[in-house]
Amino acid sequence: MTVYFVGAGLGSTRHLTLEAWTCLQQAEVVLYDALISPSLLELTPRECLRVAVGKRARAEALSQAEINQLLVNYGRQYRRVIRLKSGDPGLFGRLHQELEAVLKADLEAVVIPGVSSALAAPLLAGLCVTAKDVSQSVAILSGHAPETLPWSAIAQMETLIFLMATRSLRSIVEQLLKQGRSPTEGLAILQWVGQPQQQFWLGTLEGYLNTPHFPDMAPAVVVIGAIAQKRYPLASLPWALPDVLSTVPVSMSRLHGKTILVTRAASQASSFCEQLKAAGASVLEMPTLEIVPPSSWQPLDQALAQLDTFDWLVLTSHNAVTFFMERLQHHGKDSRALAGLKIAVVGSKTAQTLSSYGLMADFMPSEFVADALVAEFPQPIAGLRFLFPRVETGGRAVLVEAFTAAAAEVVEVPAYNSRCPQGVDAEVLAALQAGQVDMVTFTSSKTVQHFCQLVGAKAAELLRNVQIVSIGPQTSQTCRQLLGRVDVEATEYTLEGLVQALLQMT
């Protein structure tokens, strides 16, 4: 049971983040604020329960305590409850009160930031809230209770941005003048920015005070400072942005209503699971791998002490890169120690992990398997010396055998190991036994082997009505050996390729 606190930005689909958009498409209940555009609610599933709880000044609304209780009540009944807030949830959104209520009720909470009108509205209106030699400080304030603010300190800030201030603005301006701000200083009132009905009022502090019966422009963002007098003429977008973005959720919602069992190691499943959730799936995690250090560091340490004797470093997985580089750093060295080595990698994920250490691969084969590395190697192999940090047990021997057959020397060293966990989450196993799983993903031969080890001899029977999805040929081969079949194999042997394979099944 999870409550998602989602920032709606300026209130319409035009300025919604992709993460918020995806979350709305999976909602079972949405509690939304008064400033939320109806177009956002249209992103939710047809069966989603929509509850208006938002507050507007002088308008009838639920109390904060009532909203807190609703979040708890719905959170206990539904898996995905969304609290949709305008702007950013953490800025004047009473997020802390609602978070405390949800967490106190032992519910999970997720916060998805939104684009705050405090910064977006001035920019969309052509105002830069900072500018060299004009404004190097910005204060964002609530105008709800101006009598409580430290005006002597506030007056020292170059740019002031007020939210919820249109009804107290006269008092705010008077306080600033008392503190020595210039009557000719700029003031901008920006109403409904980003919406078709947007309106701007730009003038000065004294100009505002001297305007009798100034109209109520709520909701608006108020900007005070020299930058409020420097407005740039900005063109509007030449295309209908909501129509462009509307194509994104279609492809991301194809797994809506499907339950997918993920067998990847717990420490490495997060990103993959998030991609599946973003595609509309429910995800159950059943880690079948634990990634741990090797039984001994001695072979790798000896190799690290002799790096200048190798021609190539071969890295075939994210884990190999991570453990190798961490061990290098353990000895007080960094990427400069590899200056004399060329580096070959298998897979874009491996290359990406390598780049996070400031290193670029010299060679990556077109297919993300070790066999392709051997077949496509960019220079004659004979006489070369390779350092191959790898998993301690269970890895394939094809790369070593092929390089050795071509008269190269390969030094294999264990950099990490992967072992089977000691048990399975009882709830996940129960869901599998009850036929509540639609698909299962396997990302290596070991995940298949350990899955069978964890669930016992009836593994194939448990998956009788479950679609089996494999990341690549070797994993598929193990699926056929131990489970009798594989339904789908990714065409690109990566996690992204696995996601695409899942999407294409629906």
Side-chain angles (χ1 to χ4, degrees):
M1 307 297 189
T2 305
V3 177
Y4 296 81
F5 296 88
V6 178
L10 297 180
S12 71
T13 56
R14 192 179 184 89
H15 301 105
L16 195 66
T17 67
L18 184 57
E19 187 175 13
W21 193 320
T22 302
C23 190
L24 283 170
Q25 290 196 316
Q26 303 171 44
E28 294 176 299
V29 181
V30 174
L31 290 79
Y32 61 94
D33 277 346
L35 297 180
I36 300 301
S37 168
S39 62
L40 295 187
L41 300 179
E42 291 172 4
L43 297 176
T44 62
R46 182 177 301 177
E47 65 273 17
C48 175
L49 177 62
R50 302 163 183 174
V51 184
V53 299
K55 302 177 180 179
R56 287 292 303 275
R58 300 176 187 171
E60 198 171 318
L62 296 176
S63 69
Q64 187 60 57
E66 290 173 317
I67 294 174
N68 294 350
Q69 192 58 51
L70 280 176
L71 287 171
V72 172
N73 292 345
Y74 285 123
R76 286 172 173 163
Q77 298 175 57
Y78 296 88
R79 291 180 301 170
R80 295 187 183 92
V81 177
I82 293 181
R83 176 67 172 100
L84 190 60
K85 293 173 169 286
S86 58
D88 181 83
L91 186 62
F92 303 137
R94 302 194 181 187
L95 174 63
H96 66 289
Q97 294 170 297
E98 297 176 7
L99 265 178
E100 288 174 1
V102 167
L103 296 175
K104 187 176 180 180
D106 292 324
L107 299 170
E108 291 186 351
V110 174
V111 176
I112 298 177
V115 180
S116 172
S117 61
L119 298 177
L123 191 58
L124 290 173
L127 304 176
C128 300
V129 297
T130 61
K132 187 177 181 181
D133 302 325
V134 178
S135 172
Q136 299 187 61
S137 61
V138 180
I140 301 175
L141 306 135
S142 168
H144 183 66
E147 67 276 7
T148 64
L149 297 176
W151 288 105
S152 58
I154 290 171
Q156 303 304 310
M157 304 296 289
E158 292 164 309
T159 300
L160 304 175
I161 299 176
F162 285 89
L163 304 180
M164 302 170 288
T166 55
R167 292 183 177 86
S168 59
L169 186 53
R170 185 166 295 272
S171 173
I172 290 171
V173 171
E174 290 172 348
Q175 288 284 359
L176 290 172
L177 293 176
K178 286 180 183 178
Q179 296 296 328
R181 299 291 283 248
S182 170
T184 61
E185 191 165 19
L187 183 149
I189 304 174
L190 315 173
Q191 183 187 40
W192 289 113
V193 178
Q195 308 287 352
Q197 68 271 35
Q198 69 180 19
Q199 295 187 63
F200 306 148
W201 185 91
L202 293 97
T204 64
L205 298 182
E206 64 179 357
Y208 172 80
L209 290 179
N210 293 335
T211 303
H213 310 298
F214 198 96
D216 183 2
M217 294 182 66
V221 175
V222 175
V223 183
I224 296 173
I227 62 102
Q229 295 170 308
K230 179 64 173 177
R231 184 183 174 208
Y232 295 91
L234 301 179
S236 60
L237 286 171
W239 62 80
L241 188 57
D243 292 337
V244 173
L245 284 181
S246 66
T247 62
V248 176
V250 172
S251 64
M252 299 184 75
S253 62
R254 292 175 184 166
L255 294 177
H256 183 74
K258 302 292 184 180
T259 297
I260 300 176
L261 183 66
V262 172
T263 60
R264 191 166 167 79
S267 61
Q268 299 176 334
S270 176
S271 175
F272 181 51
C273 290
E274 287 305 313
Q275 289 184 65
L276 297 181
K277 291 176 184 177
S282 297
V283 176
L284 295 176
E285 294 187 53
M286 180 182 168
T288 59
L289 291 177
E290 287 181 351
I291 308 301
V292 296
S295 57
S296 171
W297 287 112
Q298 185 177 1
L300 179 55
D301 289 344
Q302 289 178 345
L304 292 176
Q306 303 171 5
L307 285 174
D308 58 351
T309 68
F310 294 98
D311 300 296
W312 282 84
L313 171 65
V314 178
L315 300 166
T316 59
S317 70
H318 162 83
N319 291 323
V321 177
T322 301
F323 277 86
F324 178 85
M325 293 304 297
E326 287 181 356
R327 195 61 184 174
L328 188 68
Q329 293 168 356
H330 172 79
H331 289 288
K333 300 178 181 180
D334 57 23
S335 57
R336 290 173 293 184
L338 305 177
L341 277 173
K342 290 185 178 181
I343 304 176
V345 301
V346 173
S348 56
K349 180 65 175 179
T350 310
Q352 182 181 346
T353 305
L354 186 66
S355 69
S356 69
Y357 292 94
L359 293 166
M360 299 295 291
D362 296 285
F363 170 60
M364 181 175 72
S366 58
E367 291 188 63
F368 299 160
V369 289
D371 311 57
L373 187 146
V374 176
E376 300 176 14
F377 203 74
Q379 70 177 97
I381 294 174
L384 296 178
R385 193 165 193 253
F386 293 85
L387 174 58
F388 184 21
R390 60 177 302 174
V391 65
E392 184 169 7
T393 59
R396 297 177 65 218
V398 59
L399 188 149
V400 176
E401 291 173 352
F403 277 173
T404 302
E409 179 185 358
V410 181
V411 177
E412 296 179 84
V413 292
Y416 66 98
N417 203 5
S418 57
R419 65 188 182 194
C420 186
Q422 294 183 349
V424 180
D425 185 293
E427 292 185 7
V428 174
L429 184 58
L432 190 59
Q433 293 169 336
Q436 297 172 353
V437 175
D438 299 296
M439 306 170 184
V440 60
T441 63
F442 293 109
T443 55
S444 69
S445 290
K446 271 194 176 181
T447 60
V448 185
Q449 294 161 358
H450 291 174
F451 173 85
C452 295
Q453 182 178 333
L454 287 167
V455 302
K458 295 184 178 181
E461 179 64 21
L462 271 179
L463 298 182
R464 182 179 56 180
N465 297 315
V466 178
Q467 291 179 299
I468 299 174
V469 188
S470 158
I471 199 170
Q474 297 306 316
T475 306
S476 295
Q477 182 179 339
T478 307
C479 286
R480 294 186 184 97
Q481 289 172 349
L482 299 181
L483 300 172
R485 75 181 204 283
V486 62
D487 297 297
V488 175
E489 179 184 297
T491 54
E492 180 181 303
Y493 313 140
T494 64
L495 291 178
E496 291 73 16
L498 193 57
V499 172
Q500 290 304 313
L502 286 162
L503 289 172
Q504 292 167 11
M505 293 173 63
T506 60

